[in-house]
Structure formats: C-alpha cells, structure tokens
Amino acid sequence: MLDFTLSEEQEMIRDMARNFARKEILPKAEHYDRSDDYPWPIIKKAQKAGLISSNIPAEYGGPGLGVLEECIINEELAWACSGVQTAIMLNNLASWPILLAGNDDQKARYLPRLTEGGELAAYALTEPAAGSDVAGIRATAVRRGDEYILNGTKNWITNAPVSSFSVLFAKTDPEAKHRGISAFIVDHKWPGVTLSKPIPKMGQHAAWTGEIVLEDVRVPVENRLGEEGEGFLIAMKVFDRSRPPVSAAAVGVARRALDEALRYAQERYAFGKPIIAQQGISFMLADMAMNIEAARLLVYQAAWLVDNGRPNVKEAACAKAFAADMCMKVTTDAVQVFGGYGYSREYPVEKLMRDAKIYQIYEGTSQIQRVIIARELTR
C-alpha cells in the first residue's frame, strides 16, 4: 500500500522549518549574498531550534531524525536561501561517517561537540585533482606506531573555514587505488592543520568553502574510522544518505523560483494582459511545477528507502541528477519570465540561478550520477 501523506511529526518538522526559513533566513538572504559574511546569527538560532545536526541520536544530544525528515527541512530552508541552508545542514554530512563507522568512544567524543557544544564540522573528501574521481585522492596517511602522519590538501570543503574538526579521507595504501583509502577524524586545532580563507564563488555565498592543508599532522590511531582501506566504502554509504537531502535543497530553490516567476507573471502586463495569459509563459510555469513535483517524489523515494534499510544507490543518483538539472532549468526559466529584470540583482531570481548551478556539481556531478545509474542498471 502506498501512502504519500506525511506523518503528524513530519508535518510539524516541515512547519517549523518553513517558519524558520521565512522569519530568520529570508529577510537576511540578500545581505549574506552580497556581503559574503558567514551567517553566524542564523546558525546560532538554528542550533537553538534543533535544525542543526538533526541526524544525531538523542543519546548524543541530537533529535535523531531520519533522512526523509532532513529532506523536508532542507527543502524549506533552501527555499529561503540555499547558502544558509547548506551552512546549517553541513553538520549532518560530517556526522554520517561517524554514525556509520565510528565506535562508541568516537561517537561519544565528537558528536556531542556538534550538538551540546554548538561546533561546526566539515566533510573533507575532495582535492584539487580529485573531485568525481574519489579514488584519485592524493592525501596520504602513513602509520607510525600509534599515530598516522597525514599530508595533503583538501579543496572545496564546505564550512572548512569555520569548522572545529573534519572527517577526512586519505590514502593509507597509495598503490591500492580506492581500496587504499581510509577515513580519519581530524581536529583542526592540531599542529600542521591550516584552514584557508573562504573561496569566492558564483553562488551560495553564505556557505563558506575553503581548503584544509595538512602538513605532517599527527592523528592518533583511535581517530581512524573503521579499518584501514574502508574509507571508500564509508564515503559511498554517506553519499546514499547525503544525496537525497541535497536533492531536496535543489527542489526548494526551484520551488522558490516558481513562486517568484508565478507572482511576477500575474503582475506584469504585456499586450494589454498579464503575461501569464500568454501560452509561452503559462506553459513554462506549468513545466516548472510538473518537474518540481517529479523531483520531490524521487527525493522522497530515495530517502524512504535508505531510512528503511533498503538499497537506494540508483534511486539516490536519479534524484540527485534529476533535481539538480531541474533546478538549473527552472531558475533559468524564471529569469526568462522576468525578462531584463531577471538579469538584475534587484530581483531574487538572479541569485536563485547562481545558487542553482552548484547542484549539478557537488555531491557528485550530474554526469557522475548518470554513470552510477547506468552501472546499477547492468547489475
């Protein structure tokens, strides 16, 4: 039996996130987009509201929500500003490797720092020469007694400039390709760790992205997640859980673009009538709505599967590719509906279009998602 109805608890979560987005994020979205400031005041309020670290269980100070609930939250927050939403939800991404592969001691030491301690963490996988090709990372971890010596550079790491620690992936066996990758919890106060300034970006200015440089960083063996060589598997399991929420954020951005375009199309007159009366415009809006609904259903399916312990690799890739491409198309069409005004920074659709592009790139490009889908079809 299929049921597309949210539970009472899920509706409450959605309404709370929606109210927070409209009251706390939307009025400040333009400021953070133009100033490039980090949204600390909003982050602190989100922590008090329980919107940060939502996947961490109650025993470590979090609400212990599922992936589907995270998707619901992400759509609402991204509707107001996807940059702020990304900054708020990054702790979830950093928590997943610890939740999936961490032992009791690691969970007890680090997860409360993200909940009760109010700290921010990062997920450090990407490198200057290794993005989609995870097996191509060059950071190394050499075992010396009870420690590992880490060297390398991580790039495009969201929240890196403001994070206290990261889950970081490095090669313990450089010759073993993806089987030689291991995962570590790295405290950013340790000697040899350098965090860069934020990297200027096209969109999502409120979410700071930077480098983590490792120079002979001594990491205790007890900070390794799982066994040596399990890093790639851990990263792939994280993607199964992180891609649906990222896709949900793309749905939120697209929904906002539709809202703005629909409002403008009813107010703007051309040839003696609102432009929504023109079939060329009304069909664009209809296509936006249709594809947003389809993307949300893909997102919910992928999230429901992993929450219920079922494989979702193909479904998560479908959701990510479709939602990302849809978001780019919808925001571009919204700019088109606004015409020349859409190209102006005085109207919100310009920002939405800039913010949308990253969804086709991070958490696996749209092309990589198609590689995954094709591979899964032949299994």
Side-chain angles (χ1 to χ4, degrees):
M1 178 179 177
L2 294 176
D3 187 352
F4 293 98
T5 305
L6 297 180
S7 69
E8 184 176 345
E9 180 184 4
Q10 289 168 339
E11 288 184 346
M12 291 176 61
I13 291 170
R14 180 199 62 196
D15 293 343
M16 177 184 67
R18 182 172 294 176
N19 291 334
F20 187 90
R22 282 158 172 72
K23 293 180 180 179
E24 305 296 343
I25 300 178
L26 187 60
K28 298 292 185 178
E30 183 180 358
H31 164 76
Y32 288 110
D33 179 59
R34 298 196 179 192
S35 68
D36 289 346
D37 291 339
Y38 192 77
W40 279 118
I42 299 177
I43 294 292
K44 299 300 182 184
K45 291 180 180 179
Q47 288 172 333
K48 292 181 179 179
L51 292 171
I52 292 184
S53 305
S54 64
N55 60 340
I56 296 180
E59 60 188 298
Y60 303 110
L65 300 181
V67 175
L68 180 54
E69 287 74 30
E70 185 181 349
C71 289
I72 293 169
I73 292 171
N74 271 12
E75 179 180 338
E76 298 302 328
L77 300 186
W79 180 92
C81 177
S82 64
V84 173
Q85 169 268 322
T86 298
I88 288 175
M89 301 307 292
L90 210 284
N91 270 9
N92 285 41
L93 177 60
S95 299
W96 274 122
I98 302 174
L99 291 168
L100 292 170
N103 56 39
D104 291 341
D105 174 67
Q106 291 166 338
K107 292 176 183 177
R109 281 192 291 133
Y110 284 97
L111 295 180
R113 288 175 59 174
L114 304 180
T115 53
E116 299 157 6
E119 297 180 25
L120 300 180
Y123 182 80
L125 181 61
T126 304
E127 297 184 4
S132 297
D133 180 15
V134 175
I137 66 172
R138 297 177 181 175
T140 58
V142 179
R143 178 87 179 251
R144 291 184 183 171
D146 293 333
E147 296 178 325
Y148 286 91
I149 308 301
L150 269 62
N151 283 280
T153 299
K154 296 296 179 177
N155 200 14
W156 301 113
I157 307 303
T158 304
N159 270 13
V162 293
S163 56
S164 298
F165 65 89
S166 61
V167 173
L168 191 143
F169 297 81
K171 288 278 185 71
T172 45
D173 184 355
E175 302 302 319
K177 298 183 180 180
H178 70 280
R179 293 184 178 86
I181 299 174
S182 300
F184 302 88
I185 304 174
V186 177
D187 198 303
H188 293 168
K189 292 183 179 179
W190 289 342
V193 179
T194 302
L195 306 178
S196 76
K197 294 181 179 179
I199 300 171
K201 308 191 304 293
M202 175 191 294
Q204 294 202 357
H205 295 169
W208 282 7
T209 301
E211 288 186 341
I212 301 176
V213 180
L214 310 165
E215 296 179 293
D216 293 330
V217 179
R218 303 163 73 92
V219 179
V221 170
E222 58 262 30
N223 274 45
R224 186 191 67 217
L225 290 171
E227 299 298 325
E228 278 195 10
E230 292 183 350
F232 184 84
L233 180 60
I234 293 170
M236 295 305 104
K237 288 182 177 179
V238 170
F239 282 141
D240 293 343
R241 291 156 178 81
S242 65
R243 281 172 176 158
V246 169
S247 307
V251 173
V253 173
R255 200 183 91 208
R256 172 71 181 288
L258 172 59
D259 289 347
E260 297 291 346
L262 180 60
R263 182 183 304 110
Y264 184 80
Q266 294 175 88
E267 297 172 351
R268 172 73 172 185
Y269 273 69
F271 308 105
K273 53 187 176 182
I275 61 173
I276 196 172
Q278 306 290 344
Q279 189 179 83
I281 298 297
S282 65
F283 277 20
M284 288 175 67
L285 297 169
D287 284 343
M288 290 181 192
M290 176 174 60
N291 285 293
I292 289 169
E293 294 294 329
R296 185 184 293 109
L297 288 173
L298 284 170
V299 168
Y300 281 12
Q301 180 193 31
W304 183 90
L305 285 170
V306 75
D307 278 342
N308 284 273
R310 300 187 184 185
N312 77 333
V313 176
K314 176 170 68 71
E315 290 78 9
C318 287
K320 174 62 168 58
F322 188 87
D325 293 348
M326 175 277 300
C327 184
M328 193 71 248
K329 179 69 163 61
V330 167
T331 55
T332 302
D333 285 349
V335 171
Q336 191 70 21
V337 169
F338 273 75
Y341 290 113
Y343 202 66
S344 167
R345 296 189 70 179
E346 297 302 315
Y347 289 82
V349 290
E350 177 266 349
K351 173 185 181 297
L352 295 174
M353 183 178 173
R354 284 188 288 106
D355 287 346
K357 184 57 190 175
I358 192 61
Y359 290 109
Q360 294 180 307
I361 300 173
Y362 67 7
E363 290 288 317
T365 65
S366 291
Q367 289 72 32
I368 284 295
Q369 303 309 318
R370 286 166 169 81
V371 170
I372 295 170
I373 295 166
R375 183 192 65 204
E376 291 298 309
L377 289 175
T378 60
R379 284 189 183 276

